[in-house]
C-alpha cells in the first residue's frame, strides 16, 4: 500500500512553513522523495545555476591555471602557504643561483660513514695507533708523510754504505754499514809483523758509529791458528801462531748500538 508522509523542514519566525518534504512509501520501502520549497528560494537557486559557468571555473580550468605549463598566466599571489613570493626561486634563476650549503661536520654518524664497500663521510686520524679497521676513519696527510719517512729510512737500512774512516782506511780492509748492521771484510792482508804466538795491535780502529756490542773474533779461513780480534772500544789486534804466515782473510758482521 502506497503511503505519503509529509514533514515540514523549516519555518520562519512567524511559524509559517518555508519548505516541506513528502516521502512516498510502499510498505517500509521509500519509493521517492518530493521536496517543496519557497518560490523565492527556488528562483534564487535557479539563477545561481544559470550563471554558474560565468561565475566559477571548472576543475580542468583550475588545473591548467595552477600548472601554468605554457606560462600564459601571470600568478601574483601575496602568500603561498603563508610564505611570501621572494622566498621562492624562479625557474629562470636556477642556473645562476648560488647558496651556502649546510655544513656536514658532525660528531655523530648522522650523515652516514664511509666503509670498505660504500661511500660516506669520514674523519681524519692523526696517529698510527689503530690496530683494526674502523668505518668512517681515514689517515691524515701528515701520517702519510710519517710513513713515507719510515719507508725511506727502511730502504736506506737495506743499502750498505762503505765507511771511509781514517781510523780504518786500508786497501785490504772494507767496512760497510747498513742501518745498525756492520760488516767487516779482510782480503789478503799482510800483517807485516814478526810477532808470533801473541796478540799485537794493528793500529787500525773501528769508528765509534760501528762499534760492536762485545768482542768479535775473525778467524783466518785460509791458514788456521791465526785470527783477528775487534774489541768493544773499536781497537783491533791480531794473533799469529808460530806456523802462521801473517796473511789474513776473513769476514765478520755484527749489530751496533750506534745509529
Amino acid at each position: 500500500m502506497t503511503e505519503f508522509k509529509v514533514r515540514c523542514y523549516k519555518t520562519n519566525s512567524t511559524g509559517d512553513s518555508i519548505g516541506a518534504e513528502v516521502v512516498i512509501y510502499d510498505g517500509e520501502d521509500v519509493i521517492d522523495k518530493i521536496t517543496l520549497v519557497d518560490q523565492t528560494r527556488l528562483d534564487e537557486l535557479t539563477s545561481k545555476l544559470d550563471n554558474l559557468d560565468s561565475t566559477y571555473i571548472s576543475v580542468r580550468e583550475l588545473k591548467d591555471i595552477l600548472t601554468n605549463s605554457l606560462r600564459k598566466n601571470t600568478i601574483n599571489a601575496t602568500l603561498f602557504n603563508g610564505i611570501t613570493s621572494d622566498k621562492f626561486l624562479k625557474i629562470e634563476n636556477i642556473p645562476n643561483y648560488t647558496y651556502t650549503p649546510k655544513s656536514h661536520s658532525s660528531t655523530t654518524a648522522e650523515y652516514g660513514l664511509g666503509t670498505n664497500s660504500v661511500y660516506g663521510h669520514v674523519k681524519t686520524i692523526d696517529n698510527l695507533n689503530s690496530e683494526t679497521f674502523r668505518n668512517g676513519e681515514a689517515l691524515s696527510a701528515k701520517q702519510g708523510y710519517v710513513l713515507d719517512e719510515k719507508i725511506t729510512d727502511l730502504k736506506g737500512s737495506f743499502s750498505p754504505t762503505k765507511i771511509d774512516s781514517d781510523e780504518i782506511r786500508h786497501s785490504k780492509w772494507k767496512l760497510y754499514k747498513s742501518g745498525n748492521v756492520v760488516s767487516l771484510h779482510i782480503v789478503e792482508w799482510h800483517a807485516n809483523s814478526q810477532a808470533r804466538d801473541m796478540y799485537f795491535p794493528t793500529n787500525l780502529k773501528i769508528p765509534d758509529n760501528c762499534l760492536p756490542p762485545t768482542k768479535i773474533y775473525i778467524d783466518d779461513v785460509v791458514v788456521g791458528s791465526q785470527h783477528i780480534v775487534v774489541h768493544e772500544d773499536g781497537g783491533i789486534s791480531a794473533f799469529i801462531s808460530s806456523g802462521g804466515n801473517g796473511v789474513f782473510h776473513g769476514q765478520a758482521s755484527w749489530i751496533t748500538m750506534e745509529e
Side-chain angles (χ1 to χ4, degrees):
M1 180 180 67
T2 303
E3 182 181 1
F4 295 87
K5 290 185 179 181
V6 180
R7 180 176 64 85
C8 178
Y9 65 85
K10 190 171 184 182
T11 59
N12 60 15
S13 59
T14 61
D16 298 328
S17 295
I18 296 177
E21 181 182 60
V22 179
V23 182
I24 306 172
Y25 292 90
D26 183 5
E28 294 182 356
D29 298 330
V30 177
I31 299 176
D32 203 352
K33 290 182 181 181
I34 300 173
T35 302
L36 305 177
V37 298
D38 178 80
Q39 182 64 44
T40 302
R41 299 295 303 276
L42 180 60
D43 292 342
E44 181 182 345
L45 178 60
T46 302
S47 176
K48 288 183 177 181
L49 292 175
D50 290 341
N51 295 283
L52 183 63
D53 292 340
S54 60
T55 306
Y56 301 96
I57 61 174
S58 66
V59 174
R60 175 173 294 182
E61 289 175 318
L62 179 60
K63 289 182 178 180
D64 290 341
I65 293 173
L66 294 178
T67 304
N68 201 18
S69 57
L70 299 179
R71 306 184 68 184
K72 292 181 178 180
N73 303 308
T74 301
I75 300 176
N76 188 21
T78 303
L79 297 175
F80 181 75
N81 199 25
I83 302 174
T84 58
S85 61
D86 60 348
K87 301 299 182 182
F88 297 92
L89 182 64
K90 295 180 179 179
I91 294 177
E92 60 267 23
N93 293 335
I94 291 177
N96 300 319
Y97 184 76
T98 58
Y99 61 95
T100 303
K102 180 182 178 181
S103 174
H104 276 204
S105 60
S106 176
T107 57
T108 69
E110 61 183 310
Y111 294 111
L113 299 179
T115 70
N116 57 359
S117 60
V118 299
Y119 299 102
H121 284 244
V122 298
K123 64 178 179 179
T124 54
I125 305 301
D126 194 25
N127 60 65
L128 298 173
N129 301 330
S130 180
E131 297 181 357
T132 58
F133 173 82
R134 295 178 182 175
N135 292 337
E137 292 187 352
L139 205 60
S140 68
K142 174 190 171 184
Q143 291 303 321
Y145 172 80
V146 172
L147 287 175
D148 183 66
E149 289 289 293
K150 291 180 179 292
I151 292 173
T152 300
D153 291 343
L154 185 60
K155 287 181 178 178
S157 67
F158 294 134
S159 302
T161 301
K162 188 175 185 298
I163 305 299
D164 289 322
S165 171
D166 291 335
E167 298 171 310
I168 197 170
R169 185 169 291 170
H170 193 287
S171 61
K172 302 300 182 180
W173 293 63
K174 309 294 182 183
L175 186 64
Y176 300 94
K177 186 177 182 183
S178 177
N180 288 77
V181 178
V182 177
S183 183
L184 175 63
H185 299 262
I186 306 171
V187 180
E188 201 175 357
W189 174 63
H190 294 259
N192 294 327
S193 175
Q194 301 302 317
R196 291 293 185 271
D197 295 321
M198 60 180 296
Y199 286 98
F200 61 90
T202 64
N203 297 322
L204 298 173
K205 187 177 185 299
I206 299 297
D208 290 343
N209 65 337
C210 298
L211 293 178
T214 185
K215 187 182 296 184
I216 302 294
Y217 287 85
I218 306 176
D219 290 330
D220 187 357
V221 296
V222 177
V223 179
S225 67
Q226 60 183 41
H227 55 266
I228 289 175
V229 179
V230 180
H231 301 276
E232 295 94 324
D233 62 357
I236 301 174
S237 58
F239 178 88
I240 304 174
S241 66
S242 57
N245 61 5
V247 179
F248 287 85
H249 302 265
Q251 185 273 335
S253 297
W254 62 86
I255 302 295
T256 180
M257 303 303 294
E258 305 294 331
E259 291 292 340

